[in-house]
Amino acid sequence: MLAELDRREPESEAFIRPQRSHADIVVRFAPIEQRGDPPDTPLSAELLLRPTIRHPDLSGILADSDQPMHLKLTRDEDGRPVDVLHVHGYVPREDSQTLEKAIWSELREPADLPESLGTLDNGRRSEPLAITQLLLLYHLLEAAPLTSRPGVASGRNAGSL
């Protein structure tokens, strides 16, 4: 897998990274080496959330920056204010479940929260991956027209019909 990433590095440099400053969400998975995490710790996630779209309000849940999941206001490479969501690889399942439930409840979906979020190839679960997938799913569902969503009553986004 690392060989594949190395092989595609020129494509990333030429086509993906130039678009970064225009993205609403930028996701980066990487280990946090200064913490001395064990080798089997899943990669941590850093999600840069630009105010170009409405994100779920996570401030009440992620107030303390010393926790394994936290939200930090900073500036992007162009000096614009952005929120950065950090989800460390060692975050306890209970903490990520609290955040997942908060994001899912903002969607008011009739279905249950997908159980397969964060599932890795080896069957293990990655909390940073689960939160990232759910946040991306949140934005996909928010953008979907109500007419294409079975079982969702009109109300939310009704003005866009």
Side-chain angles (χ1 to χ4, degrees), residues 120-141:
L120 301 171
D121 286 343
N122 60 8
R124 291 184 49 207
R125 180 181 163 91
S126 164
E127 302 308 321
L129 178 60
I131 296 298
T132 301
Q133 289 173 331
L134 183 56
L135 195 58
L136 295 174
L137 178 60
Y138 170 90
H139 286 292
L140 288 170
L141 292 174

Side-chain angles (χ1 to χ4, degrees), residues 46-66:
E46 178 182 270
L47 292 89
L48 186 130
L49 308 172
R50 289 204 173 89
T52 50
I53 57 175
R54 187 185 81 75
H55 301 285
D57 181 11
L58 307 176
S59 59
I61 299 168
L62 302 172
D64 189 348
S65 64
D66 290 334

Side-chain angles (χ1 to χ4, degrees), residues 81-153:
V82 294
D83 283 323
V84 178
L85 171 60
H86 294 272
V87 183
H88 295 281
Y90 56 86
V91 68
R93 173 80 178 111
E94 300 77 36
D95 292 355
S96 70
Q97 280 180 318
T98 301
L99 184 58
E100 288 172 14
K101 288 176 184 173
I103 294 169
W104 195 250
S105 70
E106 281 203 33
L107 284 170
R108 291 170 281 184
E109 282 296 310
D112 291 335
L113 185 66
E115 292 183 22
S116 61
L117 291 173
T119 303
L120 301 171
D121 286 343
N122 60 8
R124 291 184 49 207
R125 180 181 163 91
S126 164
E127 302 308 321
L129 178 60
I131 296 298
T132 301
Q133 289 173 331
L134 183 56
L135 195 58
L136 295 174
L137 178 60
Y138 170 90
H139 286 292
L140 288 170
L141 292 174
E142 279 289 294
L146 286 174
T147 55
S148 68
R149 296 175 62 191
V152 176

Side-chain angles (χ1 to χ4, degrees), residues 4-19:
E4 180 69 15
L5 289 173
D6 288 340
R7 186 178 71 75
R8 293 180 172 248
E9 176 55 30
E11 295 167 355
S12 177
E13 183 178 357
F15 303 110
I16 296 172
R17 285 199 289 273
Q19 299 178 52

